[in-house]
């Protein structure tokens, strides 16, 4: 099984899971797979397997990180990561592997075990273990993390399992999301 690298929640409650260049959108038992290039309008050439993708639930736009740059699908432009998010630590140009949007508009960026939450000029760094309530032991550097807007809940993928912070339980990834292809 190849690791799922990013996930996000749509307004409908469906989840998008990314693995390399492919995105699987699952919605209550239905599934759809497409390439990230087809999903994110205007994605620059060479950005088909980016470092990180997130979704702005209220607008439908996507943010994409590749190296030290970020692309916003609603603006169709590429900017330097630190220009767009000036509170990111200077050594965070590389290694961002997850991002999610909070209700306030703040973004959470994850790099390894650390999460940087940036909100209009303010910044905060904490451990993923401190951020995600009840995260199981050994899950400090998971494959993927996402946040459910309008709640304090997170979803976390580690190997073939998923943890939901609002339910405090671990389940098989395919039990929780049966439309995921078996090789995911």
């Amino acid at each position: 099984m190849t690791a799922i690298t990013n996930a996000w929640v749509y307004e409908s409650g469906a989840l998008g899971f990314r693995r390399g260049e492919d995105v699987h959108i699952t919605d209550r038992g239905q599934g759809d797979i497409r390439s990230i290039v087809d999903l994110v309008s205007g994605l620059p050439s060479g950005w088909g397997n980016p470092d990180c993708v997130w979704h702005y639930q209220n607008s439908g736009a996507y943010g994409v990180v590749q190296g030290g740059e970020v692309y916003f699908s609603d603006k169709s432009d590429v900017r330097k990561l630190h220009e767009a998010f000036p509170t990111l630590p200077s050594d965070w140009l590389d290694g961002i592997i997850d991002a999610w949007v909070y209700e306030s508009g703040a973004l959470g960026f994850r790099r390894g075990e650390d999460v940087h939450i940036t909100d209009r000029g303010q910044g905060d760094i904490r451990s993923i273990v401190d951020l995600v309530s009840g995260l199981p032991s050994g899950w400090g550097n998971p494959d993927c993390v996402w946040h459910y807007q309008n709640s304090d809940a997170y979803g976390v993928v580690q190997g073939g399992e998923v943890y939901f912070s609002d339910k405090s339980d671990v389940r098989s990834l395919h039990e929780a999301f049966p439309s995921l292809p078996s090789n995911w």
Side-chain angles (χ1 to χ4, degrees):
M1 177 185 311
T2 303
I4 291 172
T5 55
N6 299 124
W8 53 86
V9 182
Y10 290 98
E11 195 169 18
S12 68
L15 266 77
F17 290 103
R18 184 176 77 91
R19 184 183 79 160
E21 297 178 6
D22 294 327
V23 174
H24 182 274
I25 299 172
T26 181
D27 194 2
R28 293 162 186 76
Q30 303 300 310
D32 178 29
I33 296 179
R34 59 183 79 167
S35 82
I36 193 73
V37 172
D38 292 337
L39 183 68
V40 179
S41 66
L43 195 62
S45 177
W47 285 52
N49 190 6
D51 300 333
C52 169
V53 178
W54 69 92
H55 179 261
Y56 290 94
Q57 188 175 19
N58 296 329
S59 73
Y62 293 87
V64 182
V65 171
Q66 179 70 37
E69 297 180 314
V70 60
Y71 171 78
F72 298 100
S73 67
D74 59 336
K75 297 177 178 79
S76 295
D77 71 345
V78 175
R79 291 192 242 169
K80 297 290 182 193
L81 193 58
H82 282 97
E83 180 183 302
F85 303 103
T87 64
L88 275 173
S90 59
D91 64 344
W92 278 51
L93 278 176
D94 292 314
I96 292 175
I97 54 178
D98 280 319
W100 54 86
V101 182
Y102 290 99
E103 298 77 21
S104 67
L107 267 80
F109 289 102
R110 184 173 75 90
R111 186 177 84 162
E113 297 178 8
D114 293 328
V115 174
H116 182 273
I117 299 171
T118 180
D119 194 2
R120 294 165 182 76
Q122 303 300 309
D124 177 29
I125 296 178
R126 60 181 82 168
S127 148
I128 191 74
V129 172
D130 294 336
L131 183 67
V132 178
S133 169
L135 195 62
S137 177
W139 285 52
N141 191 6
D143 298 331
C144 170
V145 178
W146 69 91
H147 177 260
Y148 289 95
Q149 285 194 7
N150 303 316
S151 79
D152 291 327
Y154 292 86
V156 182
V157 171
Q158 179 68 37
E161 297 181 314
V162 61
Y163 170 77
F164 298 100
S165 66
D166 60 335
K167 296 177 177 74
S168 295
D169 71 345
V170 175
R171 295 187 223 169
S172 153
L173 190 58
H174 286 94
E175 177 186 316
F177 303 103
S179 69
L180 274 174
S182 60
N183 66 342
W184 280 48

